Amino acid sequence: MAEPLSEKDLFTVDWSRIPAPQNDGGADHLEGTRLPAIALAATDGRTTDLAALPGRSVVYTYPMTGRPGVPLPEGWDMIPGARGCSPQSCGFRDLMAELRAAGAAHVFGLSTQDTTYQREAAERLHLPFPLLSDEGLGLTRALRLPTLTVEGRTLLARSAWIVDDGRIRHVLYPVFPPDRNAEDVLVWLKAHPR
């Protein structure tokens, strides 16, 4: 059984000891895809249909956030691309003003965890944007998103999308290390203004 985590454990990661995910082509089909009209529960109490949002949105996907005092699944760190959801989210939090200045009208995190679990993470991490839940896997299946199966649960593989008026314009996949994902998105946004 894995040991319970402290808050520090969620952020103290030696990325050189974590296996990097390889590009398996699982996201190659996403660029240019129109998002399906699917309402997703959000941690701000609303529902969000990404297909209906005007302007430029940034959506980053992640497997699952850890929670202090709760052990991660056995062997989590050795699953390529699994570790680093809290650092990824905090990267977007910390660069929120710069992402907006570079044209991101909306920023969202997306996972298959339920909204109650996500809400704890959003509050604990002080995220200035909502996390979206695809607990029912409707968006995951409709877009054929790359996934991981861990302890019988379907989790999203880590990626980031730039969405213009409901169509995926660019995809970053695989993402590693996750704590640099927001910086990589910001570089792309600055190089590709609307």
Side-chain angles (χ1 to χ4, degrees):
M1 180 85 165
E3 292 295 316
L5 297 171
S6 69
E7 182 76 15
K8 182 177 180 282
D9 293 332
L10 294 172
F11 293 96
T12 306
V13 183
D14 178 353
W15 298 115
S16 69
R17 301 181 64 135
I18 304 291
Q22 301 302 307
N23 190 344
D24 59 4
D28 289 354
H29 64 286
L30 292 174
E31 282 190 19
T33 298
R34 179 100 183 119
L35 291 171
I38 296 176
L40 300 169
T43 53
D44 62 4
R46 302 178 195 177
T47 58
T48 299
D49 178 355
L50 295 170
L53 293 176
R56 179 164 275 181
S57 301
V58 172
V59 179
Y60 68 92
T61 67
Y62 61 95
M64 59 174 262
T65 52
R67 184 180 277 181
V70 177
L72 290 169
E74 194 69 41
W76 183 252
D77 285 2
M78 292 300 106
I79 300 169
R83 183 68 189 261
C85 302
S86 293
Q88 181 186 22
S89 291
C90 289
F92 282 95
R93 175 199 68 197
D94 296 347
L95 290 177
M96 189 66 178
E98 290 91 336
L99 292 164
R100 285 200 189 278
H106 313 278
V107 174
F108 301 98
L110 173 68
S111 78
T112 60
Q113 291 174 290
D114 68 55
T115 306
T116 301
Y117 193 101
Q118 290 178 326
R119 191 172 292 117
E120 183 280 332
E123 291 171 2
R124 177 173 39 84
L125 299 174
H126 307 286
L127 301 181
F129 52 83
L131 299 178
L132 304 177
S133 173
D134 190 27
E135 180 182 13
L137 304 178
L139 186 66
T140 299
R141 289 186 181 124
L143 290 176
R144 300 183 335 269
L145 297 177
T147 60
L148 313 167
T149 302
V150 179
E151 295 182 350
R153 292 181 287 179
T154 300
L155 306 175
L156 293 175
R158 199 178 310 283
S159 68
W161 323 328
I162 290 78
V163 179
D164 287 339
D165 301 314
R167 186 175 299 278
I168 299 175
R169 167 108 190 264
H170 184 67
V171 176
L172 289 86
Y173 175 85
V175 169
F176 192 82
D179 62 340
R180 282 203 323 246
N181 188 204
E183 293 171 38
D184 294 339
V185 167
L186 182 59
V187 167
W188 192 93
L189 290 174
K190 288 179 175 179
H192 300 87
R194 284 198 74 180

